[in-house]
Amino acid sequence: MIPIKVDSSWRGHADCKNCAIRGSVLFGHLTEDDLKLIHAPIDDLEYSAGSVLFHQQDAAKHIFTIKRGLVKVTRLLPDGTERIVRILRAGDVAGLEATVGDTYDNGAYALRQVSVCRIPIGVLRKLAAHSPRLHSSLMQKWANQVRESDNWIAELTHGPSRQRVARLILKLADTEEPSLATLFGREEMAMMLGLTVETVSRAIAAMTREGIIHRLDLHGRRYRLERDALDDVAVPA
Amino acid sequence: MIPIKVDSSWRGHADCKNCAIRGSVLFGHLTEDDLKLIHAPIDDLEYSAGSVLFHQQDAAKHIFTIKRGLVKVTRLLPDGTERIVRILRAGDVAGLEATVGDTYDNGAYALRQVSVCRIPIGVLRKLAAHSPRLHSSLMQKWANQVRESDNWIAELTHGPSRQRVARLILKLADTEEPSLATLFGREEMAMMLGLTVETVSRAIAAMTREGIIHRLDLHGRRYRLERDALDDVAVPA
DNA sequence: CGCGGCCTTGATCGCACTCAATTCTAGTGG
DNA sequence: CCACTAGAATTGAGTGCGATCAAGGCCGCG
């Protein structure tokens, strides 16, 4: 089902004080004294596209702050099929459930090259005991996850295929350059939208023909978007 | 779109010390001293089926602990359509996002007669400052919401209509008596499953004909379930 | 009794799935 | 440098499931 690749590389212990995205992550508000409390190591890891952060049901020993890249969160159904339920981006946290339970509720896999800080749950607990601000950061992360899941349900699981594909493309648009988007393999897009590979492919092909999106590479991953036209497809008046 | 009914009745200030479901709610671990810190009133409210706890975008001033009944959580899309994204039951909390933001991310409506404790957000903050256990209760509630949302996506938004309807029925089975279930109006079931009223009705009718479920009342709300057969429909081998 | 709401049933249509073939690209080794 | 291959994306033809449109039935209520 899942290609099991555990393909991470260790890039050293994290240097929280000088973290590039310190403002948006869990430890952003901690003081130097707080950080000194950390004894167990926080590791700075790289995962290549397709590799595993953790599987559903694994013992939950770490939470992962995502510094770069995209992570898919999947859920395994009793009948063995797998569904993508959310995507995490830089600033999000994977495996938050480690703070309240002892196994992961779902699997997390790198969709592209990903950089994370892997924080042992013990460290988190220790720091949490001292820092109310960390508490509110955690709450904030939880709230984001719920909002994302709810959006996902509302936007990507209902409606005609064209519309769903359009909405997914918009969701994947670059944050800095909103008229560019990097898609995934058709198979994965299909799993996100509850459609088949062929239907996704046809929708993209049709929109390309109609000039709503423009293919920029040979693999069909990178596109330039005609925002106005695409918005119209995504949210029909 | 939504029938606007604000139809709640005040049943007095909450008596947390003697709460029937104290063990499963937010304030379950607080001491009497903690509870004495509360000055702003926690109200004990009843909502009749169809009435509003809060709308999406309302100023978030309270969180609602559900003591009895069922609450639907809906999200409004830009194009004006509305989707049901989750259901809350006794022990769950509605409006958790009040702890981190100042508007509600989604709407909450009573599906049946509902009893709640309405806790002003200020009270929660004050107590949270004193009680680490309240913190972990909150985390637990957040984790439940995410797990529920993820389950919802995985189980109820993909697959053939029969299967989805079967899964929803199982989700609505009584906790004490698992072979009985109380459904909703077909319209609402359709909104939950991303199907049409007619399709839901046909699926239920078919399963009734096949003896997988048995109608117990005239309105088509209450059913007795043939668990084994229904499980087979919900999770095809 | 008549009306309105909801559930059900029927007939038809179209979108998305299925099955299958083709094209394209990147990677491999001659 | 070019065949060869494997994997992915695309395209095509045909089918079926669920949406749509439209009646009809059932119950509660005035």
Short mmCIF file of all heavy atoms in Angstrom, two decimals, chain B residues 160-161 194-196 198-199 202 218-219, chain D residues 17-23 26-28:
data_model
loop_
_atom_site.label_atom_id
_atom_site.label_comp_id
_atom_site.label_asym_id
_atom_site.label_seq_id
_atom_site.Cartn_x
_atom_site.Cartn_y
_atom_site.Cartn_z
N PRO B 160 -19.15 4.57 -2.40
CA PRO B 160 -20.51 4.48 -2.90
C PRO B 160 -21.53 4.89 -1.84
O PRO B 160 -21.26 4.78 -0.64
CB PRO B 160 -20.68 3.01 -3.27
CG PRO B 160 -19.54 2.30 -2.62
CD PRO B 160 -18.47 3.28 -2.39
N SER B 161 -22.69 5.32 -2.28
CA SER B 161 -23.68 5.90 -1.38
C SER B 161 -24.14 4.92 -0.31
O SER B 161 -24.30 5.28 0.85
CB SER B 161 -24.88 6.41 -2.17
OG SER B 161 -25.49 5.36 -2.87
N GLY B 194 -22.60 14.43 1.60
CA GLY B 194 -22.33 14.93 0.27
C GLY B 194 -23.15 14.21 -0.78
O GLY B 194 -22.70 13.98 -1.90
N LEU B 195 -24.36 13.83 -0.42
CA LEU B 195 -25.26 13.16 -1.37
C LEU B 195 -26.56 13.98 -1.44
O LEU B 195 -26.70 14.99 -0.77
CB LEU B 195 -25.57 11.74 -0.88
CG LEU B 195 -24.40 10.77 -0.74
CD1 LEU B 195 -24.83 9.50 -0.02
CD2 LEU B 195 -23.82 10.43 -2.11
N THR B 196 -27.49 13.51 -2.26
CA THR B 196 -28.79 14.18 -2.31
C THR B 196 -29.79 13.45 -1.42
O THR B 196 -29.59 12.29 -1.05
CB THR B 196 -29.35 14.20 -3.74
OG1 THR B 196 -29.47 12.85 -4.18
CG2 THR B 196 -28.47 14.99 -4.66
N GLU B 198 -32.66 12.27 -2.17
CA GLU B 198 -33.23 11.10 -2.82
C GLU B 198 -32.31 9.89 -2.71
O GLU B 198 -32.77 8.78 -2.43
CB GLU B 198 -33.51 11.39 -4.30
CG GLU B 198 -34.54 12.46 -4.57
CD GLU B 198 -33.90 13.83 -4.71
OE1 GLU B 198 -32.89 14.07 -4.03
OE2 GLU B 198 -34.39 14.66 -5.49
N THR B 199 -31.03 10.14 -2.91
CA THR B 199 -30.09 9.02 -2.85
C THR B 199 -30.06 8.42 -1.45
O THR B 199 -30.06 7.19 -1.29
CB THR B 199 -28.68 9.49 -3.27
OG1 THR B 199 -28.76 10.01 -4.59
CG2 THR B 199 -27.70 8.35 -3.23
N ARG B 202 -33.21 6.44 -0.92
CA ARG B 202 -33.17 5.16 -1.63
C ARG B 202 -32.28 4.16 -0.93
O ARG B 202 -32.65 2.97 -0.80
CB ARG B 202 -32.66 5.39 -3.06
CG ARG B 202 -33.73 5.82 -4.02
CD ARG B 202 -33.18 5.88 -5.44
NE ARG B 202 -33.18 7.22 -5.98
CZ ARG B 202 -34.20 7.75 -6.63
NH1 ARG B 202 -35.31 7.08 -6.81
NH2 ARG B 202 -34.14 8.98 -7.10
N LEU B 218 -42.87 5.87 12.54
CA LEU B 218 -43.53 6.26 11.29
C LEU B 218 -42.71 7.25 10.48
O LEU B 218 -42.80 7.30 9.26
CB LEU B 218 -44.90 6.87 11.61
CG LEU B 218 -45.91 5.86 12.18
CD1 LEU B 218 -47.12 6.58 12.73
CD2 LEU B 218 -46.31 4.87 11.09
N HIS B 219 -41.90 8.07 11.16
CA HIS B 219 -41.19 9.14 10.45
C HIS B 219 -39.90 8.68 9.81
O HIS B 219 -39.24 9.46 9.13
CB HIS B 219 -40.86 10.29 11.41
CG HIS B 219 -41.87 10.46 12.49
ND1 HIS B 219 -43.19 10.73 12.21
CD2 HIS B 219 -41.77 10.40 13.83
CE1 HIS B 219 -43.85 10.83 13.35
NE2 HIS B 219 -43.02 10.62 14.35
P DC D 17 -24.09 0.51 -10.59
OP1 DC D 17 -23.51 -0.71 -10.04
OP2 DC D 17 -25.50 0.55 -11.02
"O5'" DC D 17 -23.83 1.68 -9.55
"C5'" DC D 17 -22.56 2.29 -9.48
"C4'" DC D 17 -22.74 3.77 -9.27
"O4'" DC D 17 -23.16 4.41 -10.49
"C3'" DC D 17 -23.77 4.13 -8.22
"O3'" DC D 17 -23.19 5.09 -7.36
"C2'" DC D 17 -24.96 4.67 -9.02
"C1'" DC D 17 -24.28 5.24 -10.24
N1 DC D 17 -25.06 5.24 -11.51
C2 DC D 17 -25.02 6.37 -12.34
O2 DC D 17 -24.36 7.36 -11.99
N3 DC D 17 -25.70 6.35 -13.51
C4 DC D 17 -26.40 5.27 -13.86
N4 DC D 17 -27.05 5.30 -15.03
C5 DC D 17 -26.45 4.12 -13.03
C6 DC D 17 -25.78 4.14 -11.88
P DG D 18 -23.86 5.35 -5.93
OP1 DG D 18 -22.76 5.36 -4.94
OP2 DG D 18 -25.03 4.49 -5.76
"O5'" DG D 18 -24.34 6.87 -6.12
"C5'" DG D 18 -23.41 7.82 -6.56
"C4'" DG D 18 -24.11 9.01 -7.16
"O4'" DG D 18 -24.78 8.62 -8.39
"C3'" DG D 18 -25.21 9.64 -6.28
"O3'" DG D 18 -25.07 11.04 -6.36
"C2'" DG D 18 -26.49 9.13 -6.94
"C1'" DG D 18 -26.08 9.15 -8.39
N9 DG D 18 -26.88 8.33 -9.29
C8 DG D 18 -27.40 7.08 -9.05
N7 DG D 18 -28.08 6.60 -10.07
C5 DG D 18 -27.99 7.60 -11.03
C6 DG D 18 -28.52 7.65 -12.35
O6 DG D 18 -29.20 6.80 -12.95
N1 DG D 18 -28.20 8.85 -12.99
C2 DG D 18 -27.45 9.85 -12.44
N2 DG D 18 -27.23 10.94 -13.18
N3 DG D 18 -26.95 9.82 -11.20
C4 DG D 18 -27.26 8.67 -10.57
P DA D 19 -25.96 12.07 -5.56
OP1 DA D 19 -25.07 12.86 -4.71
OP2 DA D 19 -27.13 11.37 -5.00
"O5'" DA D 19 -26.44 13.00 -6.77
"C5'" DA D 19 -25.46 13.54 -7.64
"C4'" DA D 19 -26.13 14.36 -8.73
"O4'" DA D 19 -26.79 13.47 -9.64
"C3'" DA D 19 -27.18 15.34 -8.24
"O3'" DA D 19 -27.09 16.56 -8.96
"C2'" DA D 19 -28.50 14.61 -8.48
"C1'" DA D 19 -28.17 13.74 -9.68
N9 DA D 19 -28.85 12.44 -9.63
C8 DA D 19 -28.86 11.54 -8.59
N7 DA D 19 -29.54 10.45 -8.84
C5 DA D 19 -30.02 10.65 -10.13
C6 DA D 19 -30.82 9.86 -10.97
N6 DA D 19 -31.29 8.64 -10.63
N1 DA D 19 -31.11 10.35 -12.19
C2 DA D 19 -30.63 11.55 -12.54
N3 DA D 19 -29.87 12.39 -11.84
C4 DA D 19 -29.60 11.87 -10.63
P DT D 20 -28.04 17.75 -8.60
OP1 DT D 20 -27.29 18.97 -8.94
OP2 DT D 20 -28.60 17.54 -7.26
"O5'" DT D 20 -29.24 17.60 -9.65
"C5'" DT D 20 -28.94 17.44 -11.02
"C4'" DT D 20 -30.24 17.23 -11.80
"O4'" DT D 20 -30.68 15.86 -11.64
"C3'" DT D 20 -31.39 18.12 -11.34
"O3'" DT D 20 -31.92 18.78 -12.47
"C2'" DT D 20 -32.40 17.14 -10.73
"C1'" DT D 20 -32.07 15.86 -11.47
N1 DT D 20 -32.40 14.60 -10.75
C2 DT D 20 -33.10 13.62 -11.41
O2 DT D 20 -33.49 13.75 -12.55
N3 DT D 20 -33.34 12.48 -10.67
C4 DT D 20 -32.94 12.24 -9.37
O4 DT D 20 -33.20 11.18 -8.82
C5 DT D 20 -32.20 13.30 -8.74
C7 DT D 20 -31.72 13.14 -7.34
C6 DT D 20 -31.96 14.42 -9.45
P DC D 21 -32.89 20.02 -12.31
OP1 DC D 21 -32.54 21.00 -13.35
OP2 DC D 21 -32.98 20.40 -10.89
"O5'" DC D 21 -34.28 19.32 -12.73
"C5'" DC D 21 -34.31 18.51 -13.90
"C4'" DC D 21 -35.64 17.80 -14.00
"O4'" DC D 21 -35.61 16.60 -13.21
"C3'" DC D 21 -36.84 18.62 -13.49
"O3'" DC D 21 -37.91 18.47 -14.42
"C2'" DC D 21 -37.15 17.99 -12.15
"C1'" DC D 21 -36.77 16.54 -12.42
N1 DC D 21 -36.46 15.73 -11.22
C2 DC D 21 -36.82 14.37 -11.21
O2 DC D 21 -37.38 13.89 -12.20
N3 DC D 21 -36.53 13.62 -10.12
C4 DC D 21 -35.92 14.17 -9.08
N4 DC D 21 -35.66 13.40 -8.03
C5 DC D 21 -35.55 15.56 -9.07
C6 DC D 21 -35.84 16.29 -10.16
P DA D 22 -39.30 19.26 -14.23
OP1 DA D 22 -39.71 19.64 -15.61
OP2 DA D 22 -39.15 20.29 -13.19
"O5'" DA D 22 -40.27 18.13 -13.68
"C5'" DA D 22 -40.21 16.83 -14.25
"C4'" DA D 22 -41.14 15.90 -13.50
"O4'" DA D 22 -40.42 15.24 -12.42
"C3'" DA D 22 -42.35 16.58 -12.83
"O3'" DA D 22 -43.52 15.83 -13.10
"C2'" DA D 22 -41.98 16.56 -11.37
"C1'" DA D 22 -41.24 15.23 -11.29
N9 DA D 22 -40.41 15.07 -10.12
C8 DA D 22 -39.60 15.99 -9.51
N7 DA D 22 -38.98 15.55 -8.44
C5 DA D 22 -39.40 14.24 -8.33
C6 DA D 22 -39.12 13.22 -7.41
N6 DA D 22 -38.29 13.38 -6.38
N1 DA D 22 -39.71 12.01 -7.60
C2 DA D 22 -40.54 11.87 -8.64
N3 DA D 22 -40.89 12.75 -9.57
C4 DA D 22 -40.28 13.93 -9.35
P DA D 23 -44.96 16.58 -13.05
OP1 DA D 23 -45.48 16.60 -14.43
OP2 DA D 23 -44.81 17.84 -12.28
"O5'" DA D 23 -45.85 15.59 -12.18
"C5'" DA D 23 -45.29 15.00 -11.05
"C4'" DA D 23 -45.61 13.51 -11.03
"O4'" DA D 23 -44.58 12.85 -10.28
"C3'" DA D 23 -46.91 13.22 -10.29
"O3'" DA D 23 -47.43 11.97 -10.68
"C2'" DA D 23 -46.44 13.20 -8.84
"C1'" DA D 23 -45.01 12.66 -8.94
N9 DA D 23 -44.07 13.35 -8.06
C8 DA D 23 -43.74 14.68 -8.07
N7 DA D 23 -42.87 15.01 -7.13
C5 DA D 23 -42.62 13.83 -6.48
C6 DA D 23 -41.79 13.51 -5.40
N6 DA D 23 -41.04 14.39 -4.76
N1 DA D 23 -41.77 12.23 -4.98
C2 DA D 23 -42.53 11.33 -5.63
N3 DA D 23 -43.35 11.50 -6.67
C4 DA D 23 -43.34 12.80 -7.04
P DC D 26 -49.58 5.56 1.56
OP1 DC D 26 -49.30 4.12 1.70
OP2 DC D 26 -50.94 6.07 1.25
"O5'" DC D 26 -49.09 6.28 2.88
"C5'" DC D 26 -47.70 6.36 3.16
"C4'" DC D 26 -47.47 7.40 4.21
"O4'" DC D 26 -47.41 8.70 3.58
"C3'" DC D 26 -48.59 7.49 5.24
"O3'" DC D 26 -48.06 7.24 6.52
"C2'" DC D 26 -49.15 8.89 5.09
"C1'" DC D 26 -48.00 9.63 4.44
N1 DC D 26 -48.39 10.80 3.61
C2 DC D 26 -47.79 12.03 3.86
O2 DC D 26 -46.96 12.12 4.77
N3 DC D 26 -48.13 13.09 3.09
C4 DC D 26 -49.02 12.96 2.11
N4 DC D 26 -49.33 14.03 1.38
C5 DC D 26 -49.65 11.70 1.84
C6 DC D 26 -49.31 10.66 2.61
P DC D 27 -49.01 6.96 7.74
OP1 DC D 27 -48.39 5.86 8.52
OP2 DC D 27 -50.40 6.89 7.27
"O5'" DC D 27 -48.82 8.30 8.55
"C5'" DC D 27 -47.50 8.69 8.94
"C4'" DC D 27 -47.51 10.15 9.33
"O4'" DC D 27 -47.83 10.95 8.18
"C3'" DC D 27 -48.53 10.50 10.41
"O3'" DC D 27 -47.85 10.99 11.56
"C2'" DC D 27 -49.43 11.56 9.77
"C1'" DC D 27 -48.56 12.07 8.61
N1 DC D 27 -49.34 12.56 7.45
C2 DC D 27 -49.14 13.88 7.01
O2 DC D 27 -48.34 14.60 7.61
N3 DC D 27 -49.85 14.32 5.93
C4 DC D 27 -50.70 13.52 5.31
N4 DC D 27 -51.36 14.00 4.26
C5 DC D 27 -50.91 12.17 5.74
C6 DC D 27 -50.22 11.74 6.80
P DG D 28 -48.67 11.27 12.87
OP1 DG D 28 -47.83 10.82 14.00
OP2 DG D 28 -50.06 10.78 12.71
"O5'" DG D 28 -48.72 12.86 12.87
"C5'" DG D 28 -47.50 13.58 12.69
"C4'" DG D 28 -47.78 15.06 12.64
"O4'" DG D 28 -48.42 15.39 11.38
"C3'" DG D 28 -48.70 15.58 13.73
"O3'" DG D 28 -48.25 16.86 14.15
"C2'" DG D 28 -50.07 15.67 13.04
"C1'" DG D 28 -49.68 16.02 11.61
N9 DG D 28 -50.59 15.51 10.58
C8 DG D 28 -51.21 14.27 10.54
N7 DG D 28 -51.95 14.11 9.48
C5 DG D 28 -51.80 15.30 8.77
C6 DG D 28 -52.37 15.70 7.53
O6 DG D 28 -53.12 15.06 6.80
N1 DG D 28 -51.96 16.99 7.18
C2 DG D 28 -51.13 17.77 7.92
N2 DG D 28 -50.85 18.97 7.43
N3 DG D 28 -50.59 17.42 9.08
C4 DG D 28 -50.98 16.16 9.44
#
